[in-house]
Amino acid sequence: DAKTTQPPSMDCAEGRAANLPCNHSTISGNEYVYWYRQIHSQGPQYIIHGLKNNETNEMASLIITEDRKSSTLILPHATLRDTAVYYCIVRADLNTGNQFYFGTGTSLTVIP
Amino acid sequence: NAGVMQNPRHLVRRRGQEARLRCSPVKGHSHVYWYRQLPEEGLKFMVYLQKENIIDESGMPKERFSAEFPKEGPSILRIQQVVRGDSAAYFCASSREGGRSYEQYFGPGTRLTVT
């Protein structure tokens, strides 16, 4: 699985958009980009995933560059409850061995 | 619709004792994954099981650790002769089928403290 690079921490003002970057320059053609988050002391929570097209759901938007070497998770209107560690994970969607490899993620702090 | 359940939520063991961590997957899910999170670190994959089978245990230490997912009942992660370095949060996740990775749901974790 491709390695990802994320900034260790970010701040965002409440109500503003939070843009979390992720570099995955060694991603291969069959690898998806997944985002999970972990609110303090809880289990990780799935946010969104994509292959090459931009994706949007009720939680967030995922923007993947055309060369797929980087992506950005966008929380459109951050709230205090979005304070968490956000993990960008790149992996192939295989039928077996579906474990995720979590890095250290980005610690997002939403400021009132 | 109950999510992944783990118990106990907190477990304290003295060095040398055994720790048993239980995970009940989402109803209808037949794939279970165990991860370990050391303080200030990300989650590390340990083992992937289907009912009665270990599919991938590449992340699990070769000694003292074992896992099972019987036909009936919860998945069990067992740590024998615990040491202080085993102190961590252990998370279980489940999915309905192996091919849909994004459908992996995580439990609240068991926090093991070894004194």
Side-chain angles (χ1 to χ4, degrees):
Chain A
D1 292 337
K3 183 178 178 181
T4 62
T5 305
Q6 298 177 253
S9 63
M10 291 180 63
D11 293 337
C12 176
E14 187 178 15
R16 305 295 293 267
N19 297 281
L20 292 89
C22 179
N23 287 323
H24 31 79
S25 58
T26 58
I27 192 170
S28 59
N30 66 340
E31 290 183 314
Y32 287 71
V33 180
Y34 294 85
W35 283 84
Y36 274 74
R37 73 179 181 184
Q38 187 176 23
I39 297 171
H40 181 62
S41 299
Q42 298 180 21
Q45 177 190 21
Y46 167 78
I47 302 174
I48 199 167
H49 82 292
L51 183 61
K52 50 186 169 182
N53 297 322
N54 297 338
E55 302 288 343
T56 296
N57 62 20
E58 65 278 3
M59 289 182 69
S61 295
L62 174 61
I63 308 299
I64 303 174
T65 58
E66 194 169 341
D67 63 7
R68 302 208 324 122
K69 293 186 177 182
S70 65
S71 60
T72 301
L73 178 74
I74 301 172
L75 308 177
H77 305 286
T79 71
L80 299 179
R81 284 178 289 187
D82 291 323
T83 292
V85 177
Y86 287 77
Y87 296 98
C88 170
I89 304 164
V90 173
R91 70 172 310 282
D93 204 7
L94 304 172
N95 288 322
T96 59
N98 291 326
Q99 65 274 18
F100 287 101
Y101 293 96
F102 290 81
T104 52
T106 295
S107 178
L108 174 69
T109 301
V110 180
I111 302 168
Chain B
N1 184 18
V4 176
M5 299 177 68
Q6 291 187 248
N7 68 82
R9 295 290 305 276
H10 300 274
L11 182 62
V12 179
R13 285 286 179 267
R14 291 198 180 95
R15 279 181 297 171
Q17 291 185 319
E18 178 180 288
R20 280 180 168 248
L21 288 63
R22 295 175 186 78
C23 168
S24 296
V26 173
K27 188 176 180 181
H29 285 191
S30 57
H31 300 248
V32 164
Y33 316 80
W34 285 93
Y35 295 80
R36 177 167 65 175
Q37 186 173 32
L38 296 171
E40 310 302 322
E41 295 187 13
L43 281 78
K44 296 288 191 286
F45 166 77
M46 299 182 72
V47 61
Y48 163 41
L49 310 102
Q50 295 178 22
K51 285 284 188 181
E52 301 184 278
N53 287 304
I54 296 175
I55 306 302
D56 181 354
E57 55 183 347
S58 59
M60 199 152 69
K62 295 289 187 287
E63 296 180 352
R64 302 187 299 108
F65 285 73
S66 63
E68 62 178 13
F69 188 19
K71 188 176 180 182
E72 302 291 337
S75 175
I76 306 287
L77 179 67
R78 184 181 174 203
I79 311 172
Q80 295 178 293
Q81 299 175 338
V82 297
V83 301
R84 288 220 172 106
D86 297 332
S87 294
Y90 292 82
F91 291 96
C92 168
S94 74
S95 68
R96 185 179 66 220
E97 57 181 89
R100 298 287 185 93
S101 298
Y102 62 87
E103 293 179 18
Q104 206 168 113
Y105 298 91
F106 283 81
T110 292
R111 274 141 193 89
L112 172 66
T113 301
V114 179
T115 60

